[in-house]
Structure formats: C-alpha cells, structure tokens
C-alpha cells in the first residue's frame, strides 16, 4: 500500500467518523422529538379538557440526558477502561521487559510524529493490547503481561505501532465517544421502555373507551408512534452492530499504518499469529471494551469466521485475513527493495 493511498484512507476514515457521529445525533433527535411529534398528532383532536401533548418535553429530556451521559463517558471513559482492567502505569520501568516496552513506545511515537502516550501493563496472561484516550496528547497504550512475555522486540514494536496507528487515525477518540453513545442509547431505551410499560398499565386502567367515541387519533400519529417504538426496541442491538462494523474496518487501516511506521509488516504478522494461537479469553478486559483491542478479548469463535456471521457479529476481522494482507505488503516491499538493489 502506497503512503498516498494510506493517507487517503485516513482522510476517508475521519469523514466517516463525522457522519457516524451525526447519525447518532439524529437518532437521539428522533427518539426525543419524534416521540413528541407522534404524541402531538395523536392528541391534537382530543376533546376539551383531555390531555394534549404540545410541549416537546420528551425531546428536551432525551437530549439533555443523552448529552450528559455522552459527556460523562467521554471525560471518564479512558481512565475507567484502564482501571477496570486492573492495569498499572509504567512510570519507572522495573524490569528488562518494561524497559523494552517503554523504549518501543517512544520509538513508535517518534515514527508517528506524536507525543509519547502513557504506557500501562494489564495483569493478564492472555496476549492482547489496546489504546484509549481523547486525543494524541492524552492517550494511553496498554499491553498484557502475557504479551510482554511472548513477543520478541520486533513483534512488540509491531503491536505498539498498531496501537499508535489507532491514536494517529483518531480511532481512540471516536471509539471513546461511541462507547458513551452506546451506553446512552442502552439506558434511554431501557428507561423509556419502562416508562411506556408503566404508562400503558396506568392508561389502560383509566382510559375506558378512549376519546371521540372510541375512535383513534390521527392515523399518521399512530404510524409514527409504531415506528418510534420499533426504533426504541432495536436501537441497542443496531447501535452495537454498527460500532463493531466501525471497529472491523479500522483494524485493517491500523495494521497498514503500523507497517508504515515500522517498515516491517512481517513482524506484526508474526505477532498476530501468536495472539491468534493464544485461544483463551482476555478476562481482564470487559466485552464493552472489545472494540479497543488489537484482537477480540473474548474467545474468537465468531471473529474467526468469514462471511455474513463474522461480518455482522464480530468486533474484529479474522486474524488470518489480517496476516495475509500484512504478508502481501511484506512481499511487495521485498520486491521494491530487490528492484532498487542493483541501482
């Protein structure tokens, strides 16, 4: 992959991030103000003295709550992810492995042209790594103890370069925001569902025959209300599938960017093969942080599948496909170097 093509992909990546965030904001607006509009249409022809929904209370409440939840997740998310894993920061390296990790992180920061991130170690014997943060100046890279013990220097450099690529490509920023939005959607869906169930029981006990001789309200309002309820029901599932799809696409780009930093795609390919051979789960890393990791922290029965199942339900593309792409890059690099050698 040429540098120009890589930079074009990075630019396209950032544009997709903007559209993705815009889509979530539109969803929040629909959940809030769409419900208000449906209720307004249904109660517009209510008889005198009956309730008429005129103030967009639902929209204002949903917007305020979702904004607060997303802001809280954005501000505290990276720190909470690190602390939830039991990770500790490498401030003064105390072993040869920690010294090597700190040196590799500094080298890859120089290669990426970014400030050195804080480096953390997760007390887990499985092989994994992840990056988190708000921006390149406030980013962290964490690796497991098992990964430090299993990889040689070149392979460790490839893994750290992959995480630096996520930082450079603004993936950590988007994923932190996505985590906040996913949490907000799940909470709002649950809260509104409880409210509607409670309202239905209370309304059913007190309504009797309904207004206007038992006839329904505006048909358009009824249709909008059904669509609104359906959206509320499937929103948590669809939003999580969307987040996993975003994560899958970014893994390929991070692999390619890491190869650009190290000029050694074969080392990252070997590292991924070692991570794939460790078939156990990274139990220190919760499922909600799976999209941050270099490989799926759960047992990879789904992410190893090709086809529709893996494309829809996995948080990462199959490792063998990532390895094949990296080996193809290594082959092309070797051809270019061989062609330039006689000159």
């Amino acid at each position: 992959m040429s540098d120009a093509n890589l930079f074009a992909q990075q630019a396209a990546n950032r544009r997709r991030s903007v559209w993705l965030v815009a889509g979530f904001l539109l969803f929040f607006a629909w959940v809030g103000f769409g419900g208000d509009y449906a209720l307004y249409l249904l109660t517009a022809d209510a008889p005198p003295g009956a309730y008429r929904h005129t103030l967009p209370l639902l929209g204002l409440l949903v917007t305020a709550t979702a904004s607060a939840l997303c802001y809280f997740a954005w501000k505290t998310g990276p720190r909470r992810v690190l602390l939830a894993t039991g990770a500790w920061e490498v401030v003064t390296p105390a072993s040869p492995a920690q010294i090597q990790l700190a040196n590799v992180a500094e080298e890859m920061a120089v290669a990426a042209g970014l400030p050195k991130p804080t480096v953390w170690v997760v007390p887990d014997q499985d092989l994994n790594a992840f990056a988190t943060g708000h921006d390149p100046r406030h980013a962290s890279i964490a690796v497991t103890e098992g990964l430090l013990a299993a990889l040689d220097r070149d392979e460790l450099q490839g893994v750290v370069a992959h995480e630096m690529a996520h930082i450079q490509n603004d993936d950590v920023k988007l994923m932190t925001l996505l985590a906040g939005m996913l949490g907000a959607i799940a909470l709002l869906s649950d809260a509104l569902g409880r409210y509607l169930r409670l309202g239905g029981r209370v309304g059913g006990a007190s309504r009797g025959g309904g207004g206007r001789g038992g006839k329904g309200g505006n048909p358009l309002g009824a249709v909008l209300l059904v669509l609104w309820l359906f959206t509320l029901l499937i929103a948590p599932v669809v939003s999580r599938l969307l987040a996993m799809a975003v994560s899958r696409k970014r893994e390929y780009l991070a692999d390619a960017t890491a190869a650009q930093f190290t000029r050694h795609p074969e080392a990252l390919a070997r590292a991924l093969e070692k991570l794939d051979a460790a078939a156990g789960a990274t139990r220190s890393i919760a499922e909600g942080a799976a999209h941050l990791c270099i490989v799926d922290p759960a047992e990879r029965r789904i992410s190893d599948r090709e086809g529709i199942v893996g494309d829809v339900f996995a948080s990462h593309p199959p490792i063998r496909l990532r390895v094949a792409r990296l080996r193809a890059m290594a082959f092309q690099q070797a051809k270019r170097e061989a062609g330039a050698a006689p000159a």
Side-chain angles (χ1 to χ4, degrees), residues 36-245:
D36 279 321
Y37 186 59
L39 291 175
Y40 165 76
L41 291 176
L42 287 172
T43 60
D45 297 330
Y51 173 74
R52 294 187 181 184
H53 191 82
T54 54
L55 294 177
L57 297 177
L58 187 61
L60 295 174
L61 178 63
V62 167
T63 302
T65 304
S67 299
L69 289 172
C70 289
Y71 179 77
F72 178 76
W74 168 256
K75 293 296 290 184
T76 65
R79 187 77 178 179
R80 289 171 63 193
V81 168
L82 290 166
L83 295 180
T85 65
W88 47 272
E89 186 178 356
V90 179
V91 179
T92 303
S95 69
Q98 293 175 23
I99 293 172
Q100 179 173 270
L101 174 62
N103 290 340
V104 166
E106 188 167 358
E107 292 167 4
M108 292 300 95
V110 171
L114 300 175
K116 180 185 175 183
T118 59
V119 180
W120 299 67
V121 175
V122 179
D124 196 302
Q125 293 308 306
D126 192 44
L127 280 60
N128 220 321
F130 65 88
T132 187
H134 298 131
D135 53 60
R137 292 187 178 183
H138 306 89
S140 301
I141 290 176
V143 303
T144 61
E145 290 180 339
L147 184 139
L148 276 183
L151 303 189
D152 62 31
R153 195 182 196 283
D154 287 344
E155 293 163 353
L156 178 63
Q157 190 180 63
V159 169
V160 173
H162 175 97
E163 301 307 329
M164 287 298 305
H166 279 309
I167 296 171
Q168 186 193 64
N169 296 339
D170 286 336
D171 291 343
V172 292
K173 179 190 300 184
L174 177 66
M175 292 306 180
T176 300
L177 186 59
L178 271 180
M181 290 181 171
L182 290 175
I185 287 174
L187 287 174
L188 287 173
S189 178
D190 182 66
L192 289 173
R194 291 174 184 271
Y195 171 78
L196 289 172
R197 287 193 294 272
L198 178 62
R201 288 196 295 270
V202 174
S206 61
R207 196 163 26 241
R212 301 187 63 181
K215 295 182 180 179
N218 190 313
L220 177 58
V223 172
L224 286 177
L225 187 61
V226 170
L227 290 175
W228 184 77
L229 291 172
F230 180 72
T231 303
L232 203 61
L233 180 67
I234 68 170
V237 176
V238 172
S239 59
R240 184 158 295 278
L241 292 178
L242 181 60
M244 289 192 294

Side-chain angles (χ1 to χ4, degrees), residues 332-343:
Q332 294 297 328
Q333 179 177 315
K335 280 183 61 177
R336 289 194 300 269
E337 291 173 355

Side-chain angles (χ1 to χ4, degrees), residues 278-295:
T282 313
R283 305 197 182 280
S284 297
I285 301 176
E287 182 182 354
H291 58 281
L292 298 172
C293 297
I294 187 170
V295 295

